[in-house]
Amino acid sequence: MDTYVDRWQQYLFEAHPEATLRNWARRLQKFRFFRAYGGHANDGDSLDVCYAYQDTGELQEFFAHLGVKLVMHETQPPQPEPDVSYPGDVYAAFPSLIPGTRWIEQPRYCVIDGHKVFAWCEVGKIRLSIGMNYEVTPSDVTVAEAIERLLENVSLTVIEPPIDNRNCICPKFYPGYFS
């Protein structure tokens, strides 16, 4: 068991010392540091915040508040057919739609307050992610602080933790980091 814990801590603190992650946890009110799964997942570390929404109106208000213009289609755009293979460029041309909406496209990479942020929506859930180069940097934390100021007046409920597992530095898994 001790070997497992040691390996986990070695992985968790590989890019950033524990003191740095504790500092970021205290600085950020909404965003949480997420340590990538790694390996063949081809994911990166990020700072994430999630909000719950009830309907399309709340979704639209949230993004309007952040200055993000959502792409809304009048009719259902073409979508890939199940069990049909497409060349990569053809498949990439299909718009990704937010599930549960009438043809609103996923925001994906967008600019919020002059900063590049990745936004992705599921049914009833909005996730904002910061960190574009596989590793979170001090400047990413500064960007998260700026975005948090914009989020102060948002009436939607924050989903805590944004990613519910121990890779997420949040009060549920690392309560000592937030005191």
Side-chain angles (χ1 to χ4, degrees), residues 9-29:
Q9 289 189 345
Q10 182 181 9
Y11 176 71
L12 183 63
F13 304 128
E14 182 176 42
H16 306 291
E18 182 177 6
T20 298
L21 296 180
R22 285 178 180 273
N23 175 270
W24 291 353
R26 285 189 212 103
R27 284 175 58 186
L28 299 172
Q29 303 303 306

Side-chain angles (χ1 to χ4, degrees), residues 21-63:
L21 296 180
R22 285 178 180 273
N23 175 270
W24 291 353
R26 285 189 212 103
R27 284 175 58 186
L28 299 172
Q29 303 303 306
K30 295 173 179 41
F31 279 91
R32 302 292 180 234
F33 176 81
F34 178 75
R35 180 66 167 118
Y37 293 114
H40 295 286
N42 194 29
D43 61 342
D45 296 346
S46 58
L47 298 171
D48 297 280
V49 64
C50 289
Y51 284 89
Y53 72 93
Q54 300 297 317
D55 56 40
T56 303
E58 287 184 348
L59 179 75
Q60 291 171 316
E61 281 181 36
F62 178 84
F63 283 105

Side-chain angles (χ1 to χ4, degrees), residues 147-179:
I147 303 298
E148 283 186 343
R149 287 189 288 279
L150 288 176
L151 296 170
E152 285 177 2
N153 298 322
V154 168
S155 61
L156 299 180
T157 302
V158 173
I159 297 172
E160 180 71 59
I163 302 168
D164 197 4
N165 68 49
R166 69 185 183 140
N167 289 47
C168 185
I169 303 293
C170 61
K172 178 179 179 179
F173 297 104
Y174 302 90
Y177 284 43
F178 294 85
S179 54

Side-chain angles (χ1 to χ4, degrees), residues 121-132:
C121 304
E122 300 171 23
V123 174
K125 183 178 181 179
I126 302 164
R127 174 177 294 148
L128 301 179
S129 296
I130 298 170
M132 304 300 166

